Amino acid sequence: MGKTNGNGKAIPRILIVGGGYVGMYTAHRILKKLGKDEALVTVVDPRSYMTYQPFLPEAAAGSLSPRHVVVPLRRVLKRAEVLTARVTDIDHERKVAAIEPIAGDPYEIEFDQLVIAVGSIARTLPIPGLAEHGIGFKQIEEAIALRNHVLGQMDIAATTKDEKVRRRALTFVFVGGGFAGIEAIAELEDMARDACKIYPNIRPEDMRWLMVEGSGRILPEVRPALGEYTVRELEKRGIQVKLNTFLESCVNRRVQLSDGTKLVASTIVWTAGVKPNPVVQRFGVPLGERGHVMADPTLQVEGFDYVWSAGDGAQVPDLANPGKFCSPSAQHAVRQAKQLADNVVARVRGFEPREYKHKHVGSVASLGLHKGVADVYNVRLRGWPAWFMHRTYHMSRVPTFNRKIRVIADWTLALFFRREAVGLGSIERPRDEFAEAAGDLRKAA
Ligand SMILES: Cc1cc2nc3c(=O)[nH]c(=O)nc-3n(C[C@H](O)[C@H](O)[C@H](O)COP(=O)(O)OP(=O)(O)OC[C@H]3O[C@@H](n4cnc5c(N)ncnc54)[C@H](O)[C@@H]3O)c2cc1C
């Protein structure tokens, strides 16, 4: 892992920490613009793939295959050095990063330019029972586990003779009514409602779906009227929305809410916002009040001419809204990555970086098959047109031609065949059957 080209000539290393939205798009553009003798691009991420998060709700609902909503880094970034590892520390004096691979001893690598793109993590609270029973909705593993779990609970409910077990299995609580939470509950309820067709003894009205939101409205990213419309639409489908309400406890899955509601739920999904990845505290860079890396409008980290940052983990002044910072969204992340890549290339070639400026164009959300809301370029859309816009927008955005075709193929298949409603929860315990067999053999021996 030296920093020389094929002829033994030393070349700078651009180290990109994080292979998500910002990391992957930045690396992709730098590789496109710089010749292989100009720099070595190294991308470090504990996952070998980038996740296209806006498609997680559709993956959970079974409308998209899980493999089609992730982008393999080694396939897309062919000329880069991709390390499946975490960066745990940065030493600015020696310009080295501490690498913790997924297996084996840690080691260090040197760098000349550093891009910090580690994104955000779920913002949790010390609520009793939450760490034990809650699940987030940020990663493909969580989306697919939730799908399997919900269908597994339907299997339990369809089979048990115990009314308490059945009621618990069919109670699903989501906490946090931002985009991720609303899309997740809407898509999963839609999937479960559809699945009721193959469970003769479960009717949609037997299930209890509950959205708990601490503030007075959901979907703060769209105008209030669209948020209110969404509440009405969800309630029409039997999804209960409790505003100005907090989760107080969920010990042993006994959910207690601040309005006095008590219930027992099989499923508790936490989607109450994100916070900057705390690993940046060990990167020796200036942090804002809430823990973001402080970047200037050129996406350069304040006080360092070789360190850059963007995305959910960075605080970047929003030049289109003076006095504000860019919101944590894919919309900004993708565009920031483009500018960041151009600025790193400029720095490597001895030119000055340029400022990032983008006016947020709005938001689109899917609320299940053929349902959605959109607030884009001051145009508000609801129902099928919004859902269609959601699909076409994200299809145009999902990285690589290969992935676009796979996504379109999934959607096209869904036009002709009903989506599969099979829960494969046991995939998380692949050794069970063999262990049982081996146990029997031991007994027999
Ligand atoms: C369910 C859901 C739906 C969404 N829908 C939309 C939408 O419709 N529109 C929209 O604009 N935005 C949407 N977003 C938000 C959007 O996905 C994020 O804003 C975007 O992913 C931020 O990009 P990022 O590169 O900063 O972080 P990420 O894409 O999260 O990438 C961070 C990467 O850093 C890696 N990493 C973490 N720690 C380390 C470490 N120590 N060393 C190395 N690597 C590390 C992680 O593994 C990850 O791959 C959605 C988010 C979710 C969860």
Side-chain angles (χ1 to χ4, degrees):
M1 267 187 280
K3 289 199 300 169
T4 53
N5 65 12
N7 305 322
K9 187 182 151 219
I11 52 169
R13 174 187 261 139
I14 301 167
L15 173 61
I16 301 180
V17 187
Y21 259 88
V22 171
M24 199 233 28
Y25 280 102
T26 302
H28 194 256
R29 193 165 170 93
I30 292 177
L31 289 167
K32 212 164 104 187
K33 294 204 146 190
L34 285 182
K36 66 175 185 311
D37 286 351
E38 283 185 280
L40 167 67
V41 175
T42 301
V43 180
V44 185
D45 197 299
R47 291 185 172 81
S48 61
Y49 47 84
M50 172 260 192
T51 304
Y52 192 81
Q53 289 171 338
F55 276 153
L56 289 184
E58 287 207 48
S63 303
L64 288 175
S65 155
R67 283 186 310 283
H68 300 166
V69 304
V70 297
V71 184
L73 295 174
R74 287 185 175 83
R75 178 185 280 255
V76 177
L77 307 174
K78 287 206 179 79
R79 277 203 293 115
E81 176 185 47
V82 176
L83 304 179
T84 309
R86 274 173 207 285
V87 170
T88 53
D89 232 313
I90 302 286
D91 179 341
H92 290 278
E93 247 170 54
R94 295 189 295 134
K95 281 203 180 170
V96 297
I99 306 288
E100 192 179 275
I102 46 172
D105 291 337
Y107 55 90
E108 292 185 336
I109 59 172
E110 295 175 1
F111 60 81
D112 298 276
Q113 299 287 322
L114 172 68
V115 178
I116 302 175
V118 289
S120 54
I121 61 166
R123 190 184 57 214
T124 55
L125 294 171
I127 294 171
L130 182 61
E132 293 82 4
H133 304 299
I135 180 166
F137 199 77
K138 240 188 143 304
Q139 304 297 346
I140 188 70
E141 300 82 3
E142 292 167 329
I144 301 309
L146 250 177
R147 166 185 173 73
N148 287 328
H149 173 80
V150 168
L151 290 166
Q153 295 306 310
M154 294 181 77
D155 288 332
I156 291 173
T159 313
T160 184
K161 298 280 176 221
D162 183 331
E163 190 45 38
K164 268 195 198 156
V165 171
R166 178 179 159 92
R167 207 172 323 123
R168 175 178 121 142
L170 294 181
T171 303
F172 309 97
V173 176
F174 286 63
V175 186
F179 254 82
I182 293 297
E183 286 195 317
I185 195 171
E187 288 281 357
L188 280 162
E189 188 273 343
D190 199 53
M191 185 265 300
R193 173 179 291 271
D194 200 38
C196 284
K197 292 180 189 142
I198 59 164
Y199 290 92
N201 60 349
I202 305 180
R203 293 166 305 158
E205 50 277 26
D206 296 339
M207 299 188 286
R208 183 166 187 193
W209 292 81
L210 179 61
M211 165 54 69
V212 181
E213 164 56 44
S215 75
R217 58 166 300 194
I218 60 164
L219 295 181
E221 301 85 349
V222 298
R223 277 173 281 187
L226 273 185
E228 286 155 22
Y229 161 82
T230 307
V231 171
R232 285 196 302 277
E233 283 304 299
L234 295 181
E235 286 183 341
K236 262 193 235 164
R237 284 161 54 179
I239 301 175
Q240 213 181 340
V241 181
K242 283 182 178 281
L243 301 176
N244 301 309
T245 310
F246 299 90
L247 173 67
E248 288 188 336
S249 166
C250 56
V251 175
N252 294 332
R253 300 187 184 275
R254 291 174 188 284
V255 172
Q256 195 167 325
L257 304 180
S258 58
D259 68 351
T261 305
K262 286 183 186 167
L263 48 91
V264 187
S266 65
T267 311
I268 300 156
V269 186
W270 181 264
T271 50
V274 293
K275 65 178 182 189
N277 191 326
V279 72
V280 294
Q281 292 164 11
R282 297 203 296 271
F283 288 180
V285 289
L287 302 182
E289 260 173 37
R290 292 186 297 135
H292 296 86
V293 176
M294 298 295 289
D296 68 21
T298 63
L299 307 164
Q300 197 167 296
V301 172
E302 290 177 2
F304 294 84
D305 64 359
Y306 59 91
V307 188
W308 311 81
S309 192
D312 283 11
Q315 201 150 59
V316 179
D318 185 353
L319 297 186
N321 282 299
K324 298 208 166 141
F325 293 104
C326 297
S327 57
S329 67
Q331 202 180 120
H332 277 302
V334 174
R335 289 169 176 85
Q336 287 173 346
K338 187 165 172 262
Q339 189 61 60
L340 201 163
D342 290 351
N343 286 350
V344 172
V345 170
R347 176 61 39 83
V348 169
R349 292 181 172 162
F351 298 109
E352 281 306 303
R354 293 204 175 152
E355 294 186 334
Y356 168 76
K357 184 174 178 182
H358 165 69
K359 191 163 166 27
H360 202 261
V361 297
S363 304
V364 284
S366 159
L367 302 175
L369 216 48
H370 308 148
K371 310 166 193 82
V373 281
D375 192 350
V376 181
Y377 293 115
N378 266 332
V379 179
R380 283 180 280 178
L381 295 175
R382 305 158 168 196
W384 193 89
W387 170 83
F388 187 71
M389 175 181 260
H390 177 267
R391 282 209 157 178
T392 41
Y393 172 76
H394 285 299
M395 198 275 294
S396 73
R397 289 280 153 188
V398 72
T400 80
F401 181 67
N402 176 309
R403 222 111 299 256
K404 289 186 208 305
I405 298 297
R406 287 170 193 265
V407 166
I408 292 172
D410 281 350
W411 287 339
T412 311
L413 263 183
L415 289 178
F416 300 104
F417 302 102
R418 294 244 316 272
R419 58 184 153 190
E420 281 297 355
V422 56
L424 291 178
S426 50
I427 217 160
E428 290 160 38
R429 302 180 305 278
R431 292 194 62 260
D432 278 8
E433 182 169 330
F434 182 75
E436 197 180 327
D440 283 351
L441 281 178
R442 272 199 304 271
K443 258 185 244 161

